[in-house]
């Protein structure tokens, strides 16, 4: 009874005028005693009536000194959700919100009364999430608890934004962090200031930059989060628990939004690029440069309604201002995955996310033109993307082809958090050559913490050979969320003839079973160990036909590990695993080795060689220092050496690999990133080196303002690989087809590249870039004495985003 009366008394004060304290360490604001309406998240005051304001005259500079802020509702009572869940926030946060006829405004005072204070660096957009303090705002504008706009700022007002997509992650539930797609860039204003008592930020998010329903009265989901970088604490206004799989179900709300109208939404983005490239000419022994080339492109976006957008592009500029970071590829069985970085493809990508990557836009190599239609119609999310590509094609008379790509996605919301959908992809070269994929998928959440994800797809592929081949894909995943105990299990099966011409399926003709269970023990904020816990995993692969015939597994790994989060934002992960490989003789068809009289004989190693292989990994994440953060990973393992053509294990090696990175922030304007990746594989038989790779990388950047910086990147990629030899006699193994034999010969390359860039980007789409890249080949590893130029290029890009 006493508890009931206390709760009633607390609720009675919510939404009433209260007196705000004055500024000081950890409390108040600079206007002195004022009457404001307070919404205490920890006490359950999570419904904020829309604070409509006419012409607030706010200068978005981070100061919160305008009169309009004095009467704005205050969101306070934050609670911690990581690394300790459900305890009061260690520092006080006050968030304010205002709504006008064209935008929503946020203002935050983030108090900090401990030594060290907030961490902040001046950097380009989307650069600070892992290093700085920040405040994050999430708006669920459709109030469907499935997708939300995310905008966040650090204490200097540097922006980062994205979309919170429930079930996102390209088919895998994310193990760490929320399901945010950081690819989209929106147009909004922000400002931030460091203060004696912490920091303050202001945000203006125009209605033109977001999508919402066309109804006269609506509510939006609302969440405000804060991260304190020096100790890794994350706090939120609306309390959240890991016991609920969909965190958006726990958000608060902004209620009573009336007659929202973004007006006419039209963007025109002309782009001009100028390039001059050089290539090394063997005959002359020097770089031969081509003439200056210019390309003009045009991107357009039209808001058909407040929630349906049409995008079009002609001769799109997909140039990147930073190359893909070097990847070690000396013992790979399958293709490497590369992230999409091209602007046109990044917008609206969340609608094309599926449990398996049936849509992979980097398969569109060099598009001439494209169009895209995305939006939400009632309970349906729909997306269409079409493009005309230019690719190398050995079957075409002139060596190139123009495949037409069409991608269509439709998803229907069911209940409060579930959905079902379909996808269709078509990549057509001509009437006799094409790849088409159709699939059905669903995501079902029940009892809050349990999620079941399903996908079934089929492909039809026609090539230059007569007839067409058909393949199938099945995928199912079950997961349990929990504050302490988490569990997931998945089954994926891809037939031998399944092809996703517009997707990325790393392995076909195989079935996979995965499972992982983990448990977290949580302490209190400030304990030496704030969170720790063990985990166990199983990952097994079967041949597709063997799986359905219930025959033995081809390869399997059992892994035990754990993590420890220490006070001061230091985390240590580790695991130990044992693996088994057992391939049938048929899987080695085509592999041969020299026999008597140099006659090629079939090669099939004893599978007992690949049983009980051990591996161990340690990973340390250190973010305890103000001006330096870093991480290091070390792995020691017994690993098979795989044949590239068949994907089967040929020999056995001892492997050491590791990577380390160090981020330095000597001043507010300067940042440096130092990194190195290294791996060496030595044959088990005689300890001779099969492969060795070292890739050091240095990135140095000076930030004049939030919009203007200069950057230089230097990377040295040294990779060498020997021939594949049989494990017993050391004979070279070859792959033989009907008309030829191909040995996986040794190779060696030592490449050095330098990239420089001057960038001015006041808003997304309005940019001026000047960059120069030079690629060289070192004739001897890490000697730098005989450096041969391979290529260079000068790049200029100018674009402006006109907006109505």
């Amino acid at each position: 009874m006493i508890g009931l009366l206390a709760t009633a008394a607390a609720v009675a004060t919510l939404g009433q005028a209260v007196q705000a304290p004055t500024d000081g360490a950890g409390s108040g604001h600079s206007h002195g005693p004022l009457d404001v309406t307070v919404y205490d998240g920890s006490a359950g005051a999570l419904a904020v009536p829309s604070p409509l304001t006419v012409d607030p005259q706010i200068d978005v500079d981070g100061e919160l000194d305008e009169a309009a802020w004095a009467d704005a509702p205050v969101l306070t009572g934050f609670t911690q959700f990581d690394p300790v869940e459900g305890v009061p926030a260690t520092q006080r946060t006050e968030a304010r919100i205002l709504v006008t006829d064209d935008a929503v405004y946020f203002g935050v005072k983030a108090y900090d009364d401990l030594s060290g204070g907030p961490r902040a660096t001046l950097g380009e957009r989307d650069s600070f999430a892992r290093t700085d303090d920040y405040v994050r705002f999430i708006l669920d504008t459709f109030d469907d608890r499935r997708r939300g706009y995310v905008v966040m700022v650090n204490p200097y007002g540097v922006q980062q934004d994205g979309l919170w997509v429930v079930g996102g992650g390209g088919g895998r539930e994310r193990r760490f962090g929320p399901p945010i797609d950081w690819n989209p860039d929106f147009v909004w204003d922000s400002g931030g200031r460091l203060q004696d008592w912490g920091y303050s930020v202001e945000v203006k998010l125009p209605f033109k930059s977001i999508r919402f329903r066309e109804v006269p009265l609506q509510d939006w989901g609302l969440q405000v989060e804060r991260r304190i970088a020096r100790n890794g604490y994350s706090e939120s206004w609306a309390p959240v628990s890991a016991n609920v799989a969909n965190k958006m179900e726990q958000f608060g709300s902004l209620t009573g939004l009336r007659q929202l109208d973004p007006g006419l939404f039209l963007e025109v983005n002309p782009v001009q690029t100028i390039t001059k490239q050089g290539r090394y000419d063997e005959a002359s022994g020097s770089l031969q440069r081509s003439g200056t080339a210019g390309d003009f492109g045009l991107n357009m976006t039209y808001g058909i309604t407040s929630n349906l957008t049409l995008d079009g592009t002609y001769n799109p500029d997909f140039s990147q201002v930073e190359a893909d970071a070097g990847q070690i590829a000396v013992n790979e069985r399958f293709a490497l995955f590369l992230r999409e970085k091209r602007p046109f493809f990044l917008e609206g990508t969340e609608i094309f996310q599926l449990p398996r990557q049936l849509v992979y836009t980097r398969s569109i190599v060099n598009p001439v033109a494209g169009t895209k239609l995305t939006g939400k119609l009632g309970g349906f999310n729909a997306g269409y993307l079409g493009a005309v590509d230019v690719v190398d094609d050995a079957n075409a008379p002139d060596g190139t082809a123009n495949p037409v790509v069409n991608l269509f996605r439709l998803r229907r919301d069911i209940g409060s958090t579930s959905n079902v959908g379909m996808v269709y992809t078509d990549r057509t070269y001509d009437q006799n050559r094409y790849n088409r994929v159709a699939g059905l998928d669903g995501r079902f959440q029940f009892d809050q913490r349990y999620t079941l994800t399903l996908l079934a797809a089929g492909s039809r592929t026609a090539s230059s050979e007569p007839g067409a081949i058909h393949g199938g894909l099945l995928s199912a995943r079950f997961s349990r969320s929990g504050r302490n105990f988490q569990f997931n299990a998945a089954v994926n099966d891809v037939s031998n003839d399944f092809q996703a011409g517009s997707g990325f399926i790393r392995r076909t003709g195989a079935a996979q079973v995965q499972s992982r269970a983990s448990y977290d023990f949580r302490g209190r904020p400030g304990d030496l160990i704030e969170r720790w816990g063990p985990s166990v995993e199983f990952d097994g692969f079967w041949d597709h036909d063997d799986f359905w015939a219930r025959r033995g597994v081809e390869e399997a790994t059992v892994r035990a590990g754990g993590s420890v989060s220490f006070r001061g934002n230091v985390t240590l992960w580790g695991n130990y695993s044992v693996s088994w490989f057992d391939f049938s003789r048929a899987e080695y068809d085509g592999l041969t080795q020299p026999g008597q009289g140099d006659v090629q004989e079939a090669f099939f190693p004893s599978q007992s060689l690949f049983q009980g292989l051990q591996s161990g990994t340690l990973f340390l994440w250190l973010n305890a220092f103000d001006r330096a953060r870093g991480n290091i990973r070390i792995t020691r393992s017994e690993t098979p050496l795989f044949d590239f053509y068949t994907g089967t294990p040929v020999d056995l090696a001892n492997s050491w690999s590791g990577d380390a990175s160090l981020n330095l922030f000597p001043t507010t304007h300067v940042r440096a990133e130092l990194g190195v990746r290294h791996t060496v594989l030595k044959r088990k038989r005689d300890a001779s080196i099969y492969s060795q790779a070292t890739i050091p990388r240095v990135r140095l950047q000076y930030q004049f303002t939030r919009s203007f910086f200069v950057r230089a990147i230097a990377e040295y990629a040294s990779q060498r690989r020997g021939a594949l030899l049989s494990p017993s006699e050391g004979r070279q193994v070859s792959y033989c087809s009907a008309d030829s034999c191909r040995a996986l010969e040794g190779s060696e390359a030592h490449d050095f590249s330098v990239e420089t860039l001057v960038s001015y980007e006041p808003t997304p789409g309005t940019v001026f870039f000047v960059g120069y890249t030079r690629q060289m080949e070192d004739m001897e590893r890490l000697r730098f004495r005989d450096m041969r130029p391979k290529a260079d290029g000068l790049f200029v890009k100018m674009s402006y985003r006109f907006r109505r």
Side-chain angles (χ1 to χ4, degrees), residues 58-196:
I58 292 176
D59 182 15
V60 185
D61 58 4
E63 283 292 358
L64 275 75
D65 52 1
E66 292 84 2
W69 287 122
D71 298 323
V74 177
L75 282 59
T76 188
F78 283 56
T79 54
Q80 188 177 132
F81 63 88
D82 189 63
V84 182
E85 184 183 295
V87 300
T90 58
Q91 297 292 330
R92 193 162 63 86
T93 306
E94 291 182 355
R96 290 169 167 81
I97 186 169
L98 293 170
V99 178
T100 67
D101 60 353
D102 66 346
V104 57
Y105 289 80
F106 294 102
V108 173
K109 291 189 174 184
Y111 295 95
D112 199 323
D113 59 5
L114 295 182
S115 61
R119 292 183 180 174
T121 54
L122 199 62
E124 79 273 29
R125 191 184 184 96
D126 297 341
S127 64
F128 61 84
R130 298 186 63 186
T131 59
D132 289 8
D133 281 61
Y134 62 73
V135 177
R136 175 188 292 163
F137 311 96
I138 308 163
L139 283 175
D140 176 10
T141 57
F142 287 92
D143 198 28
D144 60 5
R145 296 174 290 278
R146 290 173 173 84
R147 190 187 79 156
Y149 289 91
V150 179
V151 296
M152 51 192 275
V153 288
N154 80 349
Y156 285 125
V158 179
Q159 298 180 355
Q160 184 157 330
D161 50 16
L163 282 171
W164 184 301
V165 184
V166 174
R172 295 180 298 175
E173 297 292 335
R174 299 188 184 214
R175 188 175 298 178
F176 304 107
I180 300 178
D181 177 3
W182 295 113
N183 290 318
D185 286 326
F186 314 120
V187 177
W188 48 289
D189 297 322
S190 63
R193 296 290 179 91
L194 285 171
Q195 310 283 2
D196 293 339

Side-chain angles (χ1 to χ4, degrees), residues 28 44 107-108 141 146 179-180 223 262 267 298-299 307 338 354 365 444 488 556 578 612 657 680 685 699 764 782:
V108 173
T141 57
R146 290 173 173 84
I180 300 178
Q223 179 65 292
E267 289 184 347
L298 183 66
N299 304 313
N307 55 9
L338 299 175
L354 288 148
V365 181
F444 308 97
N488 64 68
V578 181
S657 66
V680 59
R685 176 172 50 87
R699 188 176 188 264
L782 294 172

Side-chain angles (χ1 to χ4, degrees), residues 583-658:
F583 285 76
S584 67
R585 182 178 292 272
E587 297 289 335
Y588 286 82
D589 285 351
L591 291 186
T592 65
Q593 64 178 354
Q596 294 183 350
D598 288 334
V599 175
Q600 292 294 116
E601 62 181 24
F603 169 77
F604 179 66
S606 170
Q607 297 299 290
S608 62
L609 184 68
F610 310 114
Q611 305 292 310
L613 306 184
Q614 303 177 62
S615 176
T617 298
L618 282 177
F619 180 87
L620 175 67
W621 165 248
L622 184 64
N623 197 20
F625 304 108
D626 184 31
R627 296 294 179 181
R629 299 87 150 125
N631 62 75
I632 184 170
R633 179 189 61 84
I634 299 174
T635 298
R636 166 69 172 88
S637 65
E638 298 173 301
T639 183
L641 301 180
F642 295 100
D643 170 65
F644 177 79
Y645 300 105
T646 63
T648 53
V650 170
D651 199 358
L652 188 63
N654 289 320
S655 170
W656 281 97
S657 66

Side-chain angles (χ1 to χ4, degrees), residues 101-384:
D101 60 353
D102 66 346
V104 57
Y105 289 80
F106 294 102
V108 173
K109 291 189 174 184
Y111 295 95
D112 199 323
D113 59 5
L114 295 182
S115 61
R119 292 183 180 174
T121 54
L122 199 62
E124 79 273 29
R125 191 184 184 96
D126 297 341
S127 64
F128 61 84
R130 298 186 63 186
T131 59
D132 289 8
D133 281 61
Y134 62 73
V135 177
R136 175 188 292 163
F137 311 96
I138 308 163
L139 283 175
D140 176 10
T141 57
F142 287 92
D143 198 28
D144 60 5
R145 296 174 290 278
R146 290 173 173 84
R147 190 187 79 156
Y149 289 91
V150 179
V151 296
M152 51 192 275
V153 288
N154 80 349
Y156 285 125
V158 179
Q159 298 180 355
Q160 184 157 330
D161 50 16
L163 282 171
W164 184 301
V165 184
V166 174
R172 295 180 298 175
E173 297 292 335
R174 299 188 184 214
R175 188 175 298 178
F176 304 107
I180 300 178
D181 177 3
W182 295 113
N183 290 318
D185 286 326
F186 314 120
V187 177
W188 48 289
D189 297 322
S190 63
R193 296 290 179 91
L194 285 171
Q195 310 283 2
D196 293 339
W197 41 264
Y199 67 94
S200 57
V201 298
E202 287 180 309
V203 165
K204 177 186 178 182
L205 180 60
F207 292 146
K208 285 183 180 291
S209 295
I210 58 180
R211 303 292 169 261
F212 46 83
R213 293 170 292 169
E214 283 192 324
V215 294
L217 181 65
Q218 55 187 294
D219 299 338
W220 291 357
L222 173 64
Q223 179 65 292
V224 185
E225 297 179 351
R226 177 184 176 185
R227 182 178 184 270
I228 303 173
R230 67 172 176 272
N231 51 30
Y233 292 171
S234 294
E235 302 159 353
S236 64
W237 167 64
V240 295
S241 171
N243 287 327
V244 179
N246 181 2
K247 301 299 183 293
M248 297 188 80
E249 290 187 79
Q250 304 170 78
F251 287 5
S253 60
L254 181 62
T255 66
L257 292 157
R258 297 176 181 275
Q259 304 297 331
L260 297 184
D261 182 12
L264 173 66
F265 177 65
L266 176 65
E267 289 184 347
V268 180
N269 186 206
V271 181
Q272 177 68 52
T273 60
I274 302 171
T275 59
K276 187 177 181 64
Q277 296 182 333
R279 297 289 179 185
Y280 182 75
D281 180 66
E282 292 284 352
S284 63
S286 62
L287 286 176
Q288 299 297 310
R289 293 185 172 87
S290 61
T292 301
D295 267 326
F296 176 80
L298 183 66
N299 304 313
M300 297 184 66
T301 301
Y302 176 64
I304 299 174
T305 67
S306 64
N307 55 9
L308 188 62
T309 303
L310 176 65
D311 293 274
T313 183
Y314 167 72
N315 193 24
D317 165 57
F318 294 142
S319 52
Q320 298 165 208
V321 297
E322 183 174 346
D324 296 309
Q327 299 193 55
I328 295 175
V330 293
N331 191 34
E332 294 293 327
R333 303 164 69 188
F334 312 107
L336 295 173
F337 179 85
L338 299 175
R339 287 180 54 230
E340 182 62 85
K341 296 182 178 182
R342 303 172 295 180
F344 175 76
F345 289 126
L346 293 177
E347 297 297 330
T349 54
E350 74 282 356
I351 185 62
F352 295 103
Q353 291 183 353
L354 288 148
R356 298 295 301 274
Q357 195 134 15
L358 300 182
V359 175
Y360 177 54
T361 52
R362 279 192 77 149
S363 64
I364 304 174
V365 181
N366 184 26
V368 177
T371 186
K372 182 167 51 180
L373 181 66
T374 56
K376 185 161 185 173
L377 305 172
F380 288 92
N381 291 272
Y384 166 78

Side-chain angles (χ1 to χ4, degrees), residues 69 80 183 210 251 378-379 419 429 443 467 485 501 553 724 735:
W69 287 122
Q80 188 177 132
N183 290 318
I210 58 180
F251 287 5
N419 58 65
Y429 291 81
R443 183 181 186 275
F485 177 65
V553 64
L724 269 178
Y735 177 77

